[in-house]
Amino acid sequence: MSRVANPVTSAFRPARGLGNRHLQTFLGSGFRRGRLARRELARCDATHEEVTLAAGGDARLQGIYSRPRASRSDTLVLLLHGWEGSIDSNYMRLSAALLLDAGFTVLRLNFRDHGDTYHLNEEMFHSGRIEDVLNAASDAMAHWQPARLVIAGFSLGGNFALRTAIHARSTGLPVVQALAVCPPLDPARTMDAMEAGWWPYIRHFEQEWRRSLRRKRELFPQRHGFADAILKLPLRALTAWMVEAHTDYGSLDAYFSAYHVDVAALGASGVPVDALMAADDPVVPLADFDALAQQANVRLELAEHGGHCGFIEDWAMHGYGERWIAERVIANERGLGQTARDDDGDPA
């Protein structure tokens, strides 16, 4: 099933007719699943508060802080969406609902220029902005003062979650677990895979990014007065323009290196890591996960099917990925409780 050594075989088994990777991927963001996500989050017995967090300098990020009325944990779970997703993406709402049901407090965070937040920051988003997330997480910890922090993300959000784990010790964030669903580990190889893959994926990302850039130009025309011709560039060329015009990286290779996940550093972080990957992911190359699976603190679960962040279990649109996140967070919380009891001298 895979070229990855030593993965945990996933229990995910899609219902009959749902095995196709492209169907899995597209259903994940579909209307029926969106209706389910809104309903599941709305039925939770929890309070929801829109918040703005300091992300370093003048930068600000918007999020939704949700707390169950019957809170049973002093752990804050920070959820991160994928590129051109948002706090309202289906997987974000469904994950939040399951975590709230389990008694966890949840913070769904928008990256800059995602959701309806283009106005918050003049400088545009790029994937090297790990400081945004680190600073926003630190601001959240200072404001609500939970005892522990769990970071979970999907696709690019999973990449950010893993990099947050790498920086946790140096930034003083009490990260006790990082979870990633289909995270791109090597951006250069992911770009190659998208260019060589089925054309609707790269066209989707091009269209969504162009829409975002148009919105940014409308709000900050003096800072972002680029010509319409820029918006017609294909994804690689558009990314190269962004890197040269709006970052200090200087080259596309340097930019890709900036958000490449250093798996050796992740292993040295000591943070328990859970990753869920599909062998048939049409966007993220599976081969990148071999080194990740070799790290002692990483549990890599590999499913034969699932597409890119799909993992749709049935025609009612229930998702294994969101349930996997909640179950792994619960398991880690129980492990921390057992360790605390052991440290107090109680029998194991």
Side-chain angles (χ1 to χ4, degrees):
M1 179 179 70
S2 77
R3 299 183 300 276
V4 175
N6 304 320
V8 175
T9 301
S10 179
F12 172 63
R13 300 291 185 273
R16 185 182 296 274
L18 284 173
N20 182 272
R21 62 178 180 167
H22 303 307
L23 182 62
Q24 281 280 331
T25 302
F26 285 107
L27 283 178
S29 57
F31 171 77
R32 287 185 61 200
R33 192 158 147 83
R35 186 169 54 190
L36 173 67
R38 290 189 295 273
R39 185 173 68 242
E40 288 298 296
L41 188 56
R43 64 149 184 80
C44 290
D45 187 17
T47 61
H48 307 280
E49 176 188 2
E50 182 178 307
V51 297
T52 302
L53 298 168
D58 294 330
R60 296 172 294 163
L61 298 185
Q62 179 200 71
I64 299 292
Y65 178 79
S66 301
R67 185 174 182 83
R69 298 185 194 280
S71 179
R72 297 188 294 274
S73 173
D74 199 17
T75 297
L76 173 65
V77 183
L78 175 61
L79 292 178
L80 302 174
H81 58 76
W83 187 41
E84 295 301 331
S86 77
I87 57 176
D88 293 325
S89 292
N90 295 341
Y91 51 77
M92 294 283 278
R93 283 173 162 161
L94 288 165
S95 297
L98 289 169
L99 289 163
L100 289 167
D101 284 346
F104 292 96
T105 301
V106 178
L107 174 62
R108 288 177 286 145
L109 186 68
N110 271 322
F111 296 133
R112 69 168 74 190
D113 296 348
H114 287 75
D116 189 22
T117 70
Y118 300 95
H119 62 288
L120 289 179
N121 303 285
E122 183 172 324
E123 296 302 319
M124 66 175 57
F125 171 82
H126 59 72
S127 299
R129 294 195 183 276
I130 186 64
E131 291 82 5
D132 276 8
V133 173
L134 296 173
N135 288 323
S138 296
D139 192 25
M141 295 300 295
H143 186 74
W144 291 292
Q145 298 186 341
R148 296 168 299 276
L149 180 64
V150 169
I151 314 286
F154 294 78
S155 192
L156 182 61
N159 171 288
F160 270 82
L162 298 179
R163 285 188 289 145
T164 299
I166 291 172
H167 294 286
R169 187 177 302 163
S170 63
T171 55
L173 288 171
V175 177
V176 296
Q177 186 182 26
L179 304 101
V181 177
C182 300
L185 304 178
D186 185 334
R189 288 168 61 97
T190 300
M191 176 71 81
D192 291 342
M194 284 197 295
E195 290 178 327
W198 194 34
W199 64 267
Y201 293 106
I202 200 165
R203 294 294 177 269
H204 167 76
F205 285 119
E206 286 172 346
Q207 291 170 7
E208 289 299 306
W209 195 15
R210 289 165 182 161
R211 178 189 57 78
S212 293
L213 288 172
R214 290 189 188 96
R215 182 61 177 148
K216 201 71 176 177
R217 185 173 63 180
E218 291 171 1
L219 289 168
F220 302 102
Q222 295 185 354
R223 177 66 181 91
H224 302 295
F226 48 83
D228 286 341
I230 294 295
L231 297 174
K232 298 178 182 179
L233 294 172
L235 188 62
R236 184 180 291 270
L238 187 58
T239 306
W241 164 80
M242 184 273 296
V243 169
E244 294 169 6
H246 294 280
T247 79
D248 296 325
Y249 294 117
S251 71
L252 199 56
D253 287 343
Y255 171 60
F256 286 152
S257 295
Y259 71 104
H260 180 283
V261 176
D262 185 339
V263 295
L266 184 63
S269 73
V271 175
V273 172
D274 287 276
L276 175 63
M277 182 61 183
D280 65 353
D281 190 313
V283 175
V284 176
L286 179 61
D288 294 344
F289 287 77
D290 189 63
L292 182 70
Q294 307 311 310
Q295 305 306 311
N297 59 324
V298 174
R299 178 188 182 275
L300 173 63
E301 181 173 323
L302 184 62
E304 183 175 359
H305 303 289
H308 184 64
C309 295
F311 300 101
I312 307 301
E313 295 183 293
D314 53 40
W315 290 100
M317 298 294 109
H318 296 108
Y320 178 80
E322 299 85 25
R323 183 161 59 83
W324 174 85
I325 282 181
E327 289 176 352
R328 297 309 303 163
V329 173
I330 292 168
N332 191 65
E333 182 94 346
R334 287 173 179 166
L336 290 171
Q338 182 65 57
T339 299
R341 288 192 295 274
D342 293 345
D343 290 343
D344 288 339
D346 292 339

